[in-house]
Every structure is written in structure tokens, then in C-alpha cells.
């Protein structure tokens, strides 16, 4: 299986602080891959540097074999990868439909088919097409943030803590959608503190600690690993 994303020797620094220290990992086409780890481990910085929101200080990021490290977010997104940011960040004063259109602003072709696809995936959004995004529930906003990201027709969709601040039943809905989007052919790189749900959904996982990858394996291997259980799954 080919790797749609290959990260090699990636480093991210803020001033003198090194947040990501020489990490390497791959995301095979068609898989769900998760990065898990505690607060401050460097997970968000990794995603933000892949999509160009922060410039990596060193390292290479290959998307479908092409170097994207150091390029602008617009050029990176237009090459087929997008980020659903932590905290959702929908445009509160725009309607659901307008938010979806913003997600496709780099595209010049017709959006009708993609809007239909998003509304099939998220019937709740279809019902609320004209509602202002700021008045949606937290779960609905998360769905909208995911749908908006899909509107750029990415090969790879990265999600930063999609379960954050949501009730358990809503979290299950978010993970059902992640599985469904993957089943429909999208490759997913998922950052989560909810390690249990993430490892269950993922084909492969990487554990990050203080800027480094310390463990990797299949979702099943990691969820059965004693140190992962003790540190991230609340099981001794
Ligand atoms: P969390 O789950 O809490 O978001 P994380 O694993 O995603 O954690 P990062 O947000 O990537 O971790 O943070 C890694 C380190 O980089 C932390 O020490 C953080 O304080 C620092 N950091 C992140 N963003 C910035 C920034 N814009 N300026 C300075 N330091 C930053």
C-alpha cells in the first residue's frame, strides 16, 4: 500500500522552544492513522506544520510524493490535504451553507455535488442549512467543521481533537462519521486525547511524548500495550 503522507525528521520550534523534535511517520492511503499523547506533546504543532500554518524548522513532508514542507497553507490545501482545527472554528456569523462554500474557496468548479455529499453524510446540517453556525450545538459545529474541510476535496483530512468538549454520545457520533468518511475512501490523520476511541478507529497509531514519537503500532497493538493502557487508557 502506498503512503499518501510521509513525514521525515520534522521539527517545529516556537522561539527557542522545540515543540516537535525530529519525528517521522507515514500515513498509508485509505487508512485512519492516529497520533495520541498528553497535553503539550506536540500533536497540534505537528498537524499545523503539515498544513503550513507554522513553518517547520527542519524536515520533509511528502504528500503523494511531492514536498510540501514550508509552502503556504493555500498551496498545501490545494494539493489535497486539509485540517479540521481544534475548537472547530466555524464562522459563527455565516450560515451552514455559507460555511461549506468557504471550505471550497480554492476550487473553481461546481460545488453542488459536494454539498449534496456533505448533506447526505450529515442530514442534521441539511436541515439547518440556513441556520447561523454560531447557534449550532457543539456536536453540530464539529460536524460542520468536518464537512467544511471535505469541501476542498482532500485526499487526506487531518482532525485535531474532534471529540474535545463533546458529550459521550456525541463523541460516538463523531467517530461513526470518521469511520464512514474513511469507508468512502478518505485517508484520515487524527489527533486525539480520547485514546480509547482513537485507537479503536485507527489502523495505525503513534504515541507522542514531549515532542517525540515514543511508540507505534496498529491501533489494536497500542490499545493492548501496558504502558499505553496505564498512561492513556486509564487502565493498569
Ligand atoms: P494539546 O492537546 O494541549 O493541544 P498538543 O500535543 O497538541 O497539546 P501542542 O499544542 O503542539 O501540543 O504544543 C506543544 C508545545 O508547543 C507546548 O509546550 C506549547 O506550549 C507550545 N506551543 C504551541 N503553540 C505555540 C505557540 N504558538 N507559541 C509558543 N509555543 C507554542
Amino acid at each position: 500500500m502506498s503512503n499518501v503522507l510521509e513525514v521525515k525528521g520534522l521539527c517545529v520550534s516556537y522561539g527557542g522552544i522545540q515543540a516537535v523534535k525530529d519525528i517521522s511517520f507515514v500515513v498509508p492511503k485509505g487508512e485512519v492513522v492516529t497520533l495520541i499523547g498528553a497535553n503539550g506533546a506536540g500533536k497540534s504543532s505537528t498537524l499545523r506544520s503539515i498544513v503550513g500554518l507554522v513553518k517547520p524548522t527542519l524536515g520533509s513532508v511528502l504528500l503523494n510524493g511531492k514536498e510540501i514542507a514550508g509552502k503556504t497553507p493555500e498551496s498545501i490545501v490545494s494539493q489535497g490535504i486539509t485540517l479540521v482545527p481544534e475548537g472547530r472554528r466555524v464562522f459563527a456569523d455565516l450560515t451552514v451553507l455559507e460555511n461549506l462554500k468557504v471550505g471550497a474557496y480554492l476550487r473553481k468548479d461546481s460545488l453542488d455535488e459536494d454539498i449534496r455529499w456533505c448533506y447526505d453524510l450529515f442530514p442534521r446540517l441539511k436541515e439547518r442549512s440556513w441556520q447561523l453556525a454560531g447557534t449550532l450545538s457543539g456536536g453540530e459545529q464539529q460536524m460542520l467543521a468536518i464537512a467544511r474541510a471535505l469541501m476542498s476535496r482532500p485526499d487526506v483530512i487531518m482532525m485535531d481533537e474532534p471529540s474535545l468538549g463533546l458529550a459521550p454520545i456525541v463523541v460516538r457520533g463523531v467517530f461513526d462519521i470518521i469511520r464512514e468518511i474513511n469507508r468512502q475512501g478518505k485517508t484520515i490523520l487524527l489527533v486525539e486525547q480520547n485514546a480509547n476511541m482513537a485507537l479503536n478507529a485507527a489502523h495505525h497509531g503513534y504515541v507522542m511524548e514531549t515532542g517525540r514519537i515514543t511508540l507505534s503500532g496498529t491501533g489494536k497493538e497500542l490499545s493492548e500495550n501496558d504502558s499505553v493502557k496505564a498512561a492513556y487508557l486509564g487502565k493498569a
Side-chain angles (χ1 to χ4, degrees):
M1 190 180 282
S2 64
N3 294 322
V4 60
L5 188 70
E6 286 184 52
V7 172
K8 285 184 210 155
L10 186 74
C11 299
V12 179
S13 294
Y14 302 102
I17 313 279
Q18 239 196 313
V20 176
K21 301 167 186 160
D22 189 18
I23 65 166
S24 299
F25 64 93
V26 295
V27 181
K29 191 170 170 55
E31 286 204 354
V32 177
V33 171
T34 189
L35 290 180
I36 60 170
N39 289 107
K43 306 179 301 297
S44 299
S45 299
T46 301
L47 297 192
R48 289 169 57 78
S49 67
I50 291 172
V51 80
L53 292 170
V54 289
K55 295 258 182 277
T57 37
L58 266 179
S60 158
V61 180
L62 297 179
L63 176 65
N64 292 317
K66 287 196 190 134
E67 186 61 65
I68 56 169
K71 298 206 162 141
T72 63
E74 288 76 11
S75 123
I76 292 172
V77 170
S78 68
Q79 288 185 60
I81 188 164
T82 187
L83 172 65
V84 182
E86 188 175 334
R88 317 190 240 285
R89 312 262 178 88
V90 294
F91 296 102
D93 299 332
L94 299 185
T95 66
V96 166
L97 182 60
E98 286 165 343
N99 267 274
L100 292 182
K101 288 181 176 168
V102 170
Y105 81 103
L106 290 170
R107 290 179 39 200
K108 305 260 183 298
D109 50 340
S110 164
L111 306 181
D112 295 353
E113 191 187 317
D114 304 77
I115 290 171
R116 253 198 317 276
W117 181 51
C118 284
Y119 282 165
D120 283 348
L121 274 172
F122 304 102
R124 281 286 277 272
L125 296 181
K126 184 176 184 182
E127 288 164 18
R128 289 156 196 278
S129 189
W130 303 103
Q131 188 171 328
L132 293 182
T135 65
L136 296 173
S137 72
E140 289 162 355
Q141 288 189 18
Q142 185 61 62
M143 298 300 179
L144 178 57
I146 295 171
R148 184 182 59 188
L150 289 172
M151 289 296 295
S152 70
R153 288 205 179 167
D155 297 327
V156 184
I157 176 163
M158 302 192 289
M159 301 187 196
D160 196 351
E161 306 254 9
S163 76
L164 196 69
L166 301 178
I169 185 167
V170 182
V171 171
R172 281 198 288 281
V174 168
F175 275 90
D176 286 346
I177 278 293
I178 290 171
R179 287 193 182 84
E180 179 57 23
I181 293 169
N182 176 245
R183 204 186 59 76
Q184 295 197 23
K186 298 287 179 198
T187 304
I188 296 172
L189 176 58
L190 174 68
V191 154
E192 261 298 339
Q193 282 194 43
N194 189 334
N196 197 14
M197 296 290 280
L199 290 175
N200 258 318
H203 300 90
H204 284 96
Y206 294 86
V207 178
M208 272 190 90
E209 287 173 29
T210 57
R212 294 182 200 281
I213 289 175
T214 53
L215 262 180
S216 67
T218 65
K220 188 163 185 296
E221 281 163 0
L222 290 179
S223 59
E224 288 168 355
N225 178 291
D226 286 338
S227 61
V228 172
K229 280 190 198 168
Y232 304 108
L233 301 177
K235 301 174 196 164

